[in-house]
Amino acid sequence: MMQSESPVSSRGGSDGRSTFSRMLDHPADHSNDSYGVGGAMLPIFLNDLRRNNNDQDLVEVTLELEDDSVILCSVTPTANHSNHHHHHQHVPSQSSPAGAASRLRRKFSWLTSSSSRASSSDASVDRVITSRDARKMKAKLIRTKSSAQRALGGLRFISKTTNTDVNELWKTVEARFACLAKDDGLLAREDFAECIGMADSKEFALGVFDALARRRQQKLGKITKAELHDFWLQISDQSFDARLQIFFDMADSNEDGRITRDEIQELLVLSAAANRLSKLKEQAEEYASLIMEELDPENLGYIELWQLETLLLQREAYMNYSRPLSIASGGWSQNLNSLKPKSVVHRLTHFVKWGLVENWQRTWILLLWFLTMACLFTWKFKQYRSKAAFHVMGYCLTTAKGAAETLKLNMALILLPVCRNMLTFLRSTRARLFIPFDDNINFHKIIAFAIAVGIGLHAGNHMICDFPRLVNASPDKFALIASDFHNKKPTYKELIVGVEGMTGISMLILMAFAFTLASRYFRKNVLKLPSPFNRLTGFNAFWFSHHLFGLVYILLLVHGSFLFLVHNWTQKTTWMYISVPILIYAAERSLRTGRSEHYSPKIMKVSILPGDVFSIIMSKPSGFRYRSGQYIFLQCPSISPFEWHPFSLTSSPGDDYLSVHIRTVGDWTQELKQVLTNDTGSSCTIGRAKFRKLGEVDSKGLPKLLLDGPYGAPAQDYRNYDVLLLVGLGIGATPFISILRDLLHNNRAVEDQTDSNTETSMSGDSLTSIASSSIASSNEKKKPRRTKSANFYWVTREPGSFEWFKGVMNEVAEIDHKGQIEMHNYLTSVYEEGDARSTLITMVQALTHAKHGVDILSGTRVRTHFARPNWREVFGKVASKHPNTTIGVFYCGMPVLAKELRKLSYEMSQKTSTRFEFHKEYF
């Protein structure tokens, strides 16, 4: 234990040295070399002396401290040591000070006197060792409780997503052992990964196995259940130091307590393989050198455990290049002060309020539609209830006729939600305030379901109820309606094969076929059918079968014109219902055809990107105007003159070109990619595509593309919000890239306008200044820009996906100096930060960005996070940063995540003063 003999004095301040005089206890004879040469620090050594020795002499140690070294000047006995230890019987020894100095120098080889250091032939080596040990002492001193606590979340060998108790997890491991163990009751090394739940990271798990086996001084091929339990206790240890030692031992294959560059490279290869990062695996040697350069500045060729620990504890210091989304915790607490009461009554009240606020548009539309159907059904039901035919066919007839009236309405309405040009126009009007245009396809599906129910009631009642009753009616009853059948009772066959029956049955068959192929199992290829029936699945089958409805509407008009019990044309109302919607839809299709011929862009560039994606840059047709977030349809007549496919625009309205990014997920997109990239100039056939047809090839030899659009989408309304939360999954990021580009263009325009105004005012030309200011003000009034901040979260499972929009990310980092746009990339193929399998990758990521300013995964200045975002935390941080604000949440991706984001939008709107409005679109 160090004890102060006198106040610490300093001298030699001019030469950068400080001399410290401290008094310490030392043993007279005992020598303990357990720490090794140069491997322990002074406080540890002194504590060891105090613990292991009863007889103590007091000596005065004089040290000289420089920037990178500590010099032992002298060790002398104290004059008044007896005053401190009256209870010790001590015989002074002249050798004690010298012995203490000798032992100190042996313990601390980096403590050398000025004279000896100057005369030593190994001065440079001593200097290197002195520098490393000084860094080690500093690292130990800065290892505070808080930094160690932060590191506890790191180096997990058990996934963070597993919330079960370790003992409960062991029962699962034990059960796997019982299944995987051989007849001899031993678990093979190759099965260790599956047994502990690392089946998808087998190579990494084998590295853990070998490290734990080396601790036993064994090279194991099989282990017993007891040994497995011992291994399990070690990897599930909650101590950070224990987990760090395992991680270190994985790299330290020769067990010398040191890690070389080659050993780091081997561990990097294991980590890259576990996270499916082939590119990082190829660059493992480069990144291993980077780690050695950072941790081994003395070029000793190895690093020790404490250096690895230092890098882990200081990870946040390296990672501070990413603009944090969170703000001070006080802001979060402040916003949480507005929490609503949590009683059952208040919860119910808030749920009702949320239902009314979030769903009132859907509610009134559906309620109006349902009430209209009910009124029509009731009206027709009562009308036939009072007719003579009711006495013959009863309620079967009234039900069938009531269902028929709803069918007429729904066959008219079902066309309107798919009139895209009409909806796009209405989106820009005040109609968007009370009509939920984002749910047009959902409404289309609901109407289709109502049509199916109506067909069942109408056709079912006719064929199995009122037709048999009519055929079997007595002559007296039939006489009541004989005039409707030309005074001849029809047979069942005559009713079926007549115009009314044949048109009805034909419509039933066609609609059943189209409805079946439109179901999710067929449209999404969920149902796997053998050839040639597999052609009935997929988008093409859905697309072509839907065009059968053109024939259905013709049959419907014929069917509605030949009715058994109605002869006055004014009472045959089918044409009245569907004529206007059919005209609107026909005009819609005619507009699409004419516009597509007019909008025939020239292909400027085609780029093949990772992840089965390619981009097309086209010329912008004259007069083509659109908003960010909208989409277009493309057709390639060379492939098919009938197929149109939708793609979100990734260019912004301010660009002089159009761009789309297309993932090859179907036969059409695959053929388009081949047409645009593998065309050799000769006539060829790819699938159903036949090239070199006249008029289908442009001047550059590339196939002709037809364009239709633009069409409205939920994301186009982003300007209605001050703050945006944009969430894209994979290729679902495309509409938001256009929004980000638009925001950048606006920022650049504002900066250019500011610079222009500044230059104008400095020139002294007041008239020009006033005119430019007036023009700027008028432009701002014409086009208000509400959006002030955007938070973009892009979640993808393939690291190559970042190549798609690399230019946009770099542009945001370079231009957006005010921090208006915050980009957060998440790579789900990599294990969450803190997992032992991604720890080394995190280190390399931090060091590379600190040195080169580039993220190793995205190749941009935007940091890539690992695994999936914690969406509750994301919403909480956004709410804390923007209290009392309405935030537009826009999502494009798979439907599963949409449910979670919608739920969080509701919950956080109730818990904080921030309101989240959720909008979605699927791909």
Side-chain angles (χ1 to χ4, degrees):
M1 178 178 180
M2 296 185 66
Q3 300 181 4
S4 176
E5 167 69 16
S6 61
V8 178
S9 59
S10 176
R11 68 187 180 200
S14 59
D15 62 356
R17 299 181 180 181
S18 298
T19 302
F20 292 87
S21 297
R22 306 287 281 182
M23 184 172 62
L24 55 89
D25 300 337
H26 71 88
D29 300 313
H30 185 70
S31 177
N32 188 350
D33 294 332
S34 60
Y35 289 104
V37 177
M41 296 181 299
L42 182 60
I44 300 175
F45 173 71
L46 297 178
N47 286 333
D48 183 59
L49 293 178
R50 180 182 62 82
R51 285 194 307 269
N52 297 310
N53 297 278
N54 294 325
D55 296 330
Q56 301 178 355
D57 292 336
L58 299 181
V59 296
E60 183 180 276
V61 179
T62 303
L63 304 175
E64 287 188 1
L65 302 182
E66 292 184 352
D67 293 337
D68 59 353
S69 64
V70 182
I71 302 172
L72 178 63
C73 296
S74 63
V75 180
T76 58
T78 59
N80 58 344
H81 65 272
S82 59
N83 296 334
H84 296 277
H85 300 275
H86 295 290
H87 58 284
H88 285 289
Q89 298 295 324
H90 175 69
V91 179
S93 174
Q94 295 297 326
S95 64
S96 291
S102 176
R103 284 192 297 275
L104 282 170
R105 289 190 175 93
R106 188 167 63 252
K107 291 288 185 182
F108 305 100
S109 59
W110 45 273
L111 295 176
T112 57
S113 65
S114 304
S115 58
S116 64
R117 185 180 56 176
S119 61
S120 174
S121 61
D122 299 329
S124 60
V125 176
D126 290 342
R127 186 63 133 180
V128 167
I129 297 177
T130 298
S131 176
R132 172 166 287 200
D133 283 330
R135 289 196 302 113
K136 181 176 181 180
M137 177 181 289
K138 181 180 179 181
K140 291 293 183 182
L141 293 176
I142 67 173
R143 188 191 178 187
T144 61
K145 182 179 180 180
S146 59
S147 62
Q149 185 66 30
R150 287 196 302 270
L152 288 178
L155 277 177
R156 295 183 305 273
F157 290 92
I158 300 177
S159 177
K160 184 179 180 181
T161 57
T162 305
N163 297 321
T164 313
D165 182 71
V166 173
N167 294 327
E168 293 295 326
L169 286 174
W170 165 246
K171 294 180 181 179
T172 304
V173 174
E174 198 174 18
R176 294 198 194 105
F177 177 86
C179 297
L180 297 172
K182 308 300 181 183
D183 295 335
D184 55 2
L186 298 177
L187 179 72
R189 175 177 176 269
E190 293 74 17
D191 297 328
F192 178 73
E194 183 179 353
C195 190
I196 65 172
M198 283 191 180
D200 54 347
S201 310
K202 186 174 181 179
E203 294 181 15
F204 190 88
L206 292 179
V208 175
F209 181 94
D210 294 338
L212 296 176
R214 286 195 295 269
R215 288 186 172 187
R216 292 172 167 263
Q217 303 297 321
Q218 295 175 337
K219 188 175 182 180
L220 301 175
K222 296 182 179 180
I223 56 175
T224 64
K225 184 177 179 180
E227 290 172 327
L228 174 64
H229 186 249
D230 180 55
F231 283 9
W232 175 257
L233 292 178
Q234 293 182 63
I235 64 177
S236 61
D237 196 322
Q238 296 301 308
S239 168
F240 172 71
D241 291 331
R243 297 198 298 260
L244 177 64
Q245 188 64 59
I246 295 176
F247 192 72
F248 185 86
D249 291 343
M250 288 180 64
D252 185 19
S253 56
N254 59 3
E255 303 178 82
D256 62 351
R258 299 174 177 179
I259 301 179
T260 63
R261 186 187 63 80
D262 292 339
E263 290 173 327
I264 291 178
Q265 182 178 341
E266 291 177 8
L267 189 56
L268 264 174
V269 171
L270 284 180
S271 299
N275 293 279
R276 298 175 287 280
L277 299 175
S278 56
K279 186 176 180 181
L280 189 143
K281 195 173 181 179
E282 297 171 357
Q283 298 175 303
E285 182 178 357
E286 174 187 344
Y287 294 137
S289 300
L290 179 65
I291 291 178
M292 292 298 296
E293 179 182 338
E294 175 68 21
L295 299 183
D296 182 31
E298 303 86 8
N299 293 321
L300 294 179
Y302 65 88
I303 61 173
E304 298 172 295
L305 180 66
W306 67 268
Q307 290 161 295
L308 188 64
E309 177 188 26
T310 301
L311 183 60
L312 282 172
L313 293 179
Q314 296 182 350
R315 182 175 66 93
E316 293 302 324
Y318 290 103
M319 304 296 281
N320 63 1
Y321 57 82
S322 178
R323 275 201 304 260
L325 178 61
S326 59
I327 59 172
S329 58
W332 172 231
S333 303
Q334 213 170 28
N335 200 5
L336 284 180
N337 288 335
S338 60
L339 282 172
K340 281 45 174 198
K342 295 184 178 181
S343 66
V344 177
V345 176
H346 282 88
R347 283 182 177 179
L348 181 61
T349 302
H350 293 311
F351 179 79
V352 172
K353 287 182 179 179
W354 174 79
L356 293 175
V357 171
E358 295 294 326
N359 299 290
W360 71 270
Q361 292 177 322
R362 303 181 186 94
T363 302
W364 84 264
I365 290 287
L366 292 176
L367 186 60
L368 177 62
W369 170 68
F370 185 80
L371 289 176
T372 304
M373 286 196 301
C375 291
L376 290 174
F377 184 92
T378 305
W379 168 62
K380 191 58 68 172
F381 186 95
K382 288 185 176 181
Q383 186 183 75
Y384 275 83
R385 175 70 176 78
S386 60
K387 288 190 175 185
F390 174 75
H391 300 286
V392 179
M393 291 175 275
Y395 286 103
C396 297
L397 176 64
T398 56
T399 302
K401 290 300 182 179
E405 205 67 19
T406 64
L407 278 172
K408 297 174 189 177
L409 172 69
N410 289 326
M411 289 297 290
L413 291 179
I414 200 169
L415 294 174
L416 300 181
V418 292
C419 293
R420 290 188 288 264
N421 285 290
M422 181 184 70
L423 296 182
T424 301
F425 169 74
L426 292 176
R427 279 178 180 272
S428 60
T429 67
R430 291 187 177 272
R432 73 176 185 275
L433 301 177
F434 52 87
I435 298 178
F437 292 111
D438 295 349
D439 295 316
N440 63 315
I441 298 301
N442 290 333
F443 190 47
H444 180 77
K445 294 177 180 179
I446 292 174
I447 295 174
F449 177 78
I451 289 175
V453 173
I455 290 174
L457 290 174
H458 179 73
N461 277 282
H462 273 324
M463 299 182 70
I464 66 177
C465 186
D466 58 15
F467 282 4
R469 294 185 66 173
L470 173 62
V471 172
N472 298 317
S474 63
D476 294 337
K477 284 189 175 182
F478 179 73
L480 298 174
I481 56 172
S483 60
D484 294 324
F485 295 92
H486 306 290
N487 296 316
K488 180 184 177 182
K489 181 188 291 187
T491 64
Y492 191 84
K493 181 180 179 181
E494 290 174 341
L495 293 172
I496 294 298
V497 299
V499 176
E500 299 89 339
M502 290 304 296
T503 55
I505 292 174
S506 299
M507 285 191 293
L508 178 62
I509 294 173
L510 292 174
M511 294 173 75
F513 182 70
F515 282 4
T516 301
L517 297 189
S519 65
R520 175 179 174 272
Y521 294 98
F522 283 84
R523 181 168 48 88
K524 294 290 188 180
N525 277 317
V526 176
L527 187 64
K528 303 300 180 182
L529 297 177
S531 180
F533 299 104
N534 58 343
R535 293 182 177 274
L536 296 175
T537 60
F539 180 82
N540 287 333
F542 155 76
W543 177 257
F544 287 115
S545 65
H546 251 55
H547 284 76
L548 294 175
F549 275 93
L551 181 58
V552 169
Y553 276 98
I554 295 174
L555 293 173
L556 180 60
L557 286 172
V558 176
H559 184 79
S561 301
F562 291 85
L563 299 179
F564 290 119
L565 303 176
V566 179
H567 305 287
N568 189 345
W569 72 272
T570 58
Q571 295 178 347
K572 299 177 180 181
T573 57
T574 302
W575 67 273
M576 299 180 186
Y577 279 96
I578 66 174
S579 59
V580 173
I582 286 179
L583 289 174
I584 294 176
Y585 186 76
E588 169 93 9
R589 296 304 295 262
S590 300
L591 176 62
R592 295 183 195 177
T593 304
R595 188 169 54 187
S596 64
E597 291 293 338
H598 177 67
Y599 291 155
S600 181
K602 294 183 179 179
I603 300 175
M604 301 168 60
K605 182 180 180 182
V606 179
S607 301
I608 303 299
L609 301 171
D612 292 327
V613 171
F614 63 99
S615 66
I616 304 176
I617 298 180
M618 304 166 284
S619 61
K620 189 175 182 180
S622 177
F624 186 86
R625 297 179 181 179
Y626 65 99
R627 295 182 182 180
S628 292
Q630 292 184 332
Y631 65 96
I632 60 173
F633 277 82
L634 291 179
Q635 183 198 86
C636 182
S638 303
I639 299 176
S640 172
F642 305 107
E643 291 187 50
W644 290 88
H645 293 265
F647 302 101
S648 296
L649 288 164
T650 53
S651 55
S652 74
D655 295 327
D656 56 359
Y657 61 87
L658 300 178
S659 66
V660 293
H661 286 68
I662 302 173
R663 180 188 283 276
T664 54
V665 292
D667 53 358
W668 188 88
T669 53
Q670 290 173 354
E671 291 178 16
L672 179 64
K673 179 180 178 181
Q674 293 181 13
V675 168
L676 297 176
T677 59
N678 297 337
D679 196 6
T680 59
S682 60
S683 180
C684 61
T685 300
I686 303 177
R688 60 179 175 278
K690 295 182 179 179
F691 308 117
R692 296 293 171 259
K693 293 181 180 179
L694 184 62
E696 294 182 0
V697 180
D698 65 13
S699 58
K700 292 184 178 180
L702 293 174
K704 181 180 180 181
L705 286 183
L706 300 182
L707 182 152
D708 178 32
Y711 291 110
Q716 76 174 54
D717 298 326
Y718 75 95
R719 289 180 183 172
N720 297 332
Y721 301 93
D722 293 322
V723 180
L724 304 177
L725 179 55
L726 310 175
V727 180
L729 260 59
I731 199 66
T734 49
F736 307 132
I737 293 300
S738 178
I739 292 176
L740 296 180
R741 280 179 166 157
D742 193 32
L743 293 175
L744 287 176
H745 279 298
N746 294 338
N747 287 348
R748 189 183 294 113
V750 171
E751 291 179 0
D752 292 343
Q753 184 65 42
T754 302
D755 294 341
S756 175
N757 290 341
T758 303
E759 292 176 2
T760 304
S761 61
M762 291 177 64
S763 67
D765 191 344
S766 59
L767 293 177
T768 306
S769 178
I770 294 173
S772 62
S773 300
S774 301
I775 294 173
S777 300
S778 62
N779 288 340
E780 290 178 0
K781 290 179 181 179
K782 290 180 181 179
K783 296 182 179 181
R785 311 284 185 182
R786 271 190 61 179
T787 304
K788 300 176 181 177
S789 176
N791 305 287
F792 176 48
Y793 282 79
W794 185 16
V795 183
T796 182
R797 65 174 179 268
E798 299 172 359
S801 302
F802 298 124
E803 292 288 335
W804 305 346
F805 310 116
K806 186 175 180 179
V808 177
M809 289 188 281
N810 284 329
E811 193 175 1
V812 169
E814 293 172 4
I815 297 178
D816 185 32
H817 304 296
K818 297 180 181 179
Q820 181 185 18
I821 300 173
E822 292 182 356
M823 301 191 70
H824 304 267
N825 298 334
Y826 281 82
L827 187 60
T828 59
S829 64
V830 181
Y831 290 95
E832 65 267 17
E833 295 175 13
D835 193 292
R837 288 164 287 191
S838 63
T839 295
L840 204 57
I841 298 174
T842 305
M843 294 182 190
V844 172
Q845 181 192 40
L847 290 174
T848 302
H849 201 286
K851 182 176 182 180
H852 304 294
V854 177
D855 184 79
I856 61 171
L857 298 177
S858 67
T860 69
R861 293 168 60 183
V862 180
R863 173 187 174 185
T864 300
H865 302 272
F866 301 154
R868 291 175 173 80
N870 183 333
W871 293 113
R872 185 174 296 277
E873 182 179 341
V874 169
F875 273 75
K877 289 180 177 179
V878 173
S880 68
K881 189 174 183 180
H882 304 283
N884 304 308
T885 306
T886 300
I887 296 177
V889 182
F890 294 91
Y891 168 73
C892 182
M894 301 300 289
V896 178
L897 182 57
K899 297 179 180 178
E900 181 181 355
L901 297 180
R902 179 184 292 277
K903 181 181 178 182
L904 283 172
S905 297
Y906 162 67
E907 289 183 2
M908 299 307 295
S909 295
Q910 299 305 309
K911 291 181 179 180
T912 69
S913 63
T914 305
R915 181 182 173 186
F916 294 88
E917 293 186 358
F918 180 72
H919 307 270
K920 70 180 186 305
E921 58 181 301
Y922 301 141
F923 58 78

